[in-house]
Amino acid sequence: MTIAGVILCGGKSRRMGLDKAGLRFNGRTWLDIAAQTLTAAGAETLIYSGRPDLPGGVADPAPDAGPAGGIVAALRHLGDRCDQALFVPVDMPELPPEALTFLAAQPGAGAFFHGDPLPFALRLSPTVIEAAQAFVTTAARSPSVWGLLIHLGCVEVPAPPGLILRNLNTPEDAATLKS
């Protein structure tokens, strides 16, 4: 099975006040940490959603399309080049690769952890990509990632014991990182 990794890194970082991808933890940028986490989880290809300025970067389909729009852009870019994709936000530098391999091993269309749609794993097919595009296109307003995953048939699974999922969205959140 071929696996792609997608880093959702095209947000405006309004609450953080600066680009989260360039923030540093233990001497590495959050973008580098996300890429290394995906690679350690088995991703052979990396896509940077919302960052066409980077090699492997994909532009968001429209301004303010939100994460769901970035997900669809990445899916369209991947097409049939892989069997599964792992999606992570750039603002989870503490995410262990084992969490992603756990999600990837779940049966069915895809999986995400109870209470949080990010990160998630998704098995790819032309049907899945078309369904994702249709969901985002027909949404009356910016569609939620949660709604998209449910629409695609992904299941919500309990997090493994001890796994803490934290999105770091403010300078105060970032200050809580421990080396």
Side-chain angles (χ1 to χ4, degrees), residues 61-86:
D64 300 320
I71 290 166
V72 169
L75 290 173
R76 288 180 29 215
H77 180 77
L78 287 169
D80 62 359
R81 295 185 309 176
C82 62
D83 302 306
Q84 188 175 42
L86 302 171

Side-chain angles (χ1 to χ4, degrees), residues 93-116:
E94 301 164 300
L95 183 67
E98 296 80 19
L100 300 175
T101 56
F102 177 83
L103 289 173
Q106 300 303 306
F112 59 98
F113 292 117
H114 177 73
D116 197 339

Side-chain angles (χ1 to χ4, degrees), residues 57-155:
V58 177
D60 283 341
D64 300 320
I71 290 166
V72 169
L75 290 173
R76 288 180 29 215
H77 180 77
L78 287 169
D80 62 359
R81 295 185 309 176
C82 62
D83 302 306
Q84 188 175 42
L86 302 171
F87 288 79
V88 301
V90 74
D91 59 7
M92 292 183 104
E94 301 164 300
L95 183 67
E98 296 80 19
L100 300 175
T101 56
F102 177 83
L103 289 173
Q106 300 303 306
F112 59 98
F113 292 117
H114 177 73
D116 197 339
L118 293 169
F120 69 92
L122 182 64
R123 287 188 178 70
L124 302 185
S125 71
T127 304
V128 165
I129 296 168
E130 290 170 20
Q133 177 70 52
F135 180 81
V136 170
T137 302
T138 59
R141 56 184 173 80
S142 183
S144 73
V145 173
W146 197 294
L148 174 62
L149 297 179
I150 297 301
H151 179 76
L152 296 176
C154 294
V155 296

Side-chain angles (χ1 to χ4, degrees), residues 5-93:
V6 179
I7 303 169
L8 301 171
C9 52
K12 295 185 179 177
S13 300
R14 288 185 190 110
R15 291 177 282 174
M16 186 64 74
L18 55 125
D19 184 7
K20 294 179 200 176
L23 293 176
R24 299 186 82 72
F25 177 55
N26 289 337
R28 299 178 297 155
T29 66
W30 288 10
L31 187 66
D32 289 338
I33 292 168
Q36 290 170 353
T37 299
L38 285 162
T39 301
E44 301 166 27
T45 302
L46 294 176
I47 303 295
Y48 300 92
S49 176
R51 294 297 302 264
D53 57 311
L54 298 174
V58 177
D60 283 341
D64 300 320
I71 290 166
V72 169
L75 290 173
R76 288 180 29 215
H77 180 77
L78 287 169
D80 62 359
R81 295 185 309 176
C82 62
D83 302 306
Q84 188 175 42
L86 302 171
F87 288 79
V88 301
V90 74
D91 59 7
M92 292 183 104

